[in-house]
Amino acid sequence: MWGATDETFGIIASDDSGSRIARGEVNVTATVVEDFTKLSSEDMKKAPQLSISNEAIDLGDIDTSQTKPLKYKLQISNIGTNPLLLHRIYSDNPAVDIDKETATIEKGKNITITVTIRPNEITGKVMNSHITLITNDPLRPMANVRVLGLVMH
């Protein structure tokens, strides 16, 4: 799984005789990205390079009584050499959907991602969410597009 992930691990502690003395759980949250530490300088020259048309989607004033979804387009480009892999595209907000979860973009090509926002499902006074892209770009393995606005109830 690429990107943000949560796991729970069970732990059992014992004394020198092997008798259990404690039991518990540990919750671990991590962001999983590709390891680029072994890339040569030649590999880096041929690496894919992520470009995003907008780093933020500003919704302005959001009317949460609106039931019609809002749609926005993001253009994702590969301005590098090797194919750009979008390992995972996701949002941290359940009111935000992205029409693609993964993609491959060849050198010099781009794709369009449609972002759908359901205003009537937004909670709180301010929307400050992210769309996260996990890629194989060694200079930008994780990129965020902010989704923000002021909620009007």
Side-chain angles (χ1 to χ4, degrees), residues 17-144:
S17 69
S19 298
R20 283 189 193 167
I21 56 173
R23 177 184 213 136
E25 291 183 340
V26 174
N27 294 317
V28 177
T29 301
T31 301
V32 180
V33 296
E34 202 165 325
D35 177 13
F36 300 104
T37 58
K38 295 192 178 11
L39 288 183
S40 68
S41 60
E42 191 61 34
D43 290 335
M44 288 295 287
K45 289 177 188 173
K46 295 187 271 184
Q49 191 173 354
L50 173 69
S51 176
I52 304 171
S53 60
N54 295 315
E55 299 291 329
I57 298 172
D58 188 349
L59 303 173
D61 292 335
I62 305 166
D63 180 359
T64 57
S65 67
Q66 181 178 340
T67 57
K68 181 179 179 186
L70 306 171
K71 296 198 181 272
Y72 293 87
K73 303 270 187 205
L74 289 175
Q75 185 171 303
I76 312 297
S77 304
N78 179 8
I79 57 175
T81 303
N82 287 338
L84 176 67
L85 304 177
L86 300 178
H87 294 302
R88 185 174 176 209
I89 308 165
Y90 64 98
S91 174
D92 62 354
N93 190 314
V96 179
D97 288 326
I98 298 97
D99 70 338
K100 291 178 177 48
E101 292 182 12
T102 62
T104 301
I105 307 171
E106 297 298 325
K107 171 185 176 180
K109 302 292 182 184
N110 60 67
I111 63 168
T112 300
I113 293 174
T114 302
V115 178
T116 303
I117 301 158
R118 293 177 305 285
N120 60 326
E121 294 181 23
I122 297 171
T123 59
K125 295 180 181 181
V126 175
M127 180 166 191
N128 187 11
S129 300
H130 294 91
I131 297 167
T132 302
L133 295 90
I134 305 296
T135 78
N136 68 328
D137 177 347
L139 300 177
R140 204 167 175 198
M142 184 174 80
N144 286 305

